[in-house]
């Protein structure tokens, strides 16, 4: 297909009054989980000590799609259910006692257009010299990270430079097809893990 398809992912932020010394990592993927894809310690990422410790939890795309609700005016009961499910899954995946993670602050947000389900095969950019329009971004070919975004931007800048300085009229990516990216082990992207049977925990708000 020539159409990009995006996945939905639940993003949860939780804050604890004391550091979670029981978790001996700063960030981790969970390839065996049908619910939780990633957990990262934001406080450590900032590079300074703090009384509070904040973590970000990202669901799998399967869990996100199965528990998709309107992103605006998220019902309080839905937010509580999502946060509770991801926290309990983090405990299960890391061997912590059930209900041992009790955050003092929590916030959930459905990331409706999170990361691509498909991607371009052979290029990081799209460039149409006839219209002088280009597209770049980490989501076009490789993993969703800063490095991929920078490389894509540099390639588009080079294409624009070649067009104006060398009169190169070759289009890039215009006939490319989107296909499934590699999604196994450390090569997989955020949200790429999970099985096919995640549970439903979020209920769409009732229609008035």
């Amino acid at each position: 297909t020539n159409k990009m398809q995006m996945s939905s992912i639940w993003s949860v932020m939780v804050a604890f009054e004391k550091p979670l010394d029981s978790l001996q990592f700063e960030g981790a993927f969970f390839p065996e989980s049908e619910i939780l894809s990633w957990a990262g310690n934001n406080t450590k990422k900032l590079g300074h000590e703090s009384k509070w410790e904040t973590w970000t939890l990202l669901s799998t795309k399967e869990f996100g799609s199965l528990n998709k609700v309107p992103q605006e005016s998220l019902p309080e009961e839905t937010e509580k259910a999502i946060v509770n499910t991801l926290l309990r899954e983090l405990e299960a995946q890391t061997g912590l006692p059930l209900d041992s993670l009790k955050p003092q602050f929590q916030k959930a947000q459905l990331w409706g257009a999170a990361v691509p389900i498909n991607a371009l095969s052979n290029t990081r950019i799209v460039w149409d010299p006839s219209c002088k329009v280009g597209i770049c971004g980490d989501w076009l070919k490789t993993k969703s990270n800063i490095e991929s975004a920078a490389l894509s931007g540099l390639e588009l800048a080079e294409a624009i430079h070649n067009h104006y300085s060398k009169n190169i009229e070759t289009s890039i990516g215009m006939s490319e097809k989107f296909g499934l990216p590699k999604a196994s082990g450390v090569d997989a992207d955020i949200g790429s893990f999970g099985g096919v049977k995640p549970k439903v925990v979020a209920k769409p708000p009732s229609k008035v």
Side-chain angles (χ1 to χ4, degrees):
T1 178
N2 225 31
K3 185 178 180 181
M4 175 172 281
Q5 297 173 320
M6 306 296 286
S7 63
S8 297
I9 291 176
W10 277 100
S11 176
V12 167
M13 188 186 78
V14 287
F16 302 90
E17 195 171 4
K18 296 180 180 179
L20 300 181
D21 296 329
S22 53
L23 295 180
Q24 301 297 312
F25 61 88
E26 296 180 6
F29 286 108
F30 298 94
E32 303 301 320
S33 175
E34 297 177 344
I35 297 172
L36 183 65
S37 171
W38 164 264
N41 186 331
N42 291 330
T43 303
K44 294 293 186 183
K45 183 171 65 177
L46 293 175
H48 62 76
E49 298 299 324
S50 172
K51 175 185 175 183
W52 291 78
E53 188 166 274
T54 61
W55 286 73
T56 295
L57 313 178
L58 297 178
S59 77
T60 61
K61 64 178 183 290
E62 291 87 0
F63 180 85
S65 297
L66 191 60
N67 291 278
K68 194 169 184 178
V69 297
Q71 294 175 244
E72 298 78 17
S73 302
L74 186 65
E76 184 177 350
E77 61 271 19
T78 297
E79 182 173 10
K80 288 181 177 178
I82 294 295
V83 172
N84 181 68
T85 301
L86 265 65
L87 280 174
R88 303 294 78 84
E89 182 66 10
L90 178 59
E91 292 167 349
Q93 291 292 318
T94 56
L96 296 180
L98 181 66
D99 293 326
S100 60
L101 296 177
K102 300 182 182 298
Q104 280 66 49
F105 175 84
Q106 60 188 45
K107 181 68 176 176
Q109 177 65 48
L110 179 63
W111 190 3
V115 293
I117 296 174
N118 52 5
L120 294 177
S121 301
N122 300 307
T123 179
R124 291 188 175 94
I125 66 169
V126 176
W127 167 244
D128 183 355
S130 63
C131 296
K132 298 179 175 58
V133 173
I135 304 172
C136 64
D138 57 345
W139 42 271
L140 280 170
K141 176 174 168 42
T142 51
K143 293 189 284 186
S144 302
N145 54 36
I146 295 174
E147 179 186 11
S148 297
L151 290 173
S152 180
L154 288 170
E155 286 192 18
L156 181 56
E158 184 177 12
I160 295 172
H161 172 75
N162 289 338
H163 173 74
Y164 284 101
S165 66
K166 302 177 183 178
N167 295 319
I168 295 178
E169 297 291 334
T170 305
S171 63
I172 302 174
M174 295 294 292
S175 59
E176 282 272 335
K177 299 293 184 181
F178 285 96
L180 294 177
K182 187 176 182 181
S184 60
V186 296
D187 291 326
D189 204 349
I190 287 175
S192 294
F193 304 115
V196 294
K197 297 181 180 179
K199 58 184 178 180
V200 178
V201 298
K203 297 181 180 179
S206 302
K207 293 183 179 179
V208 178

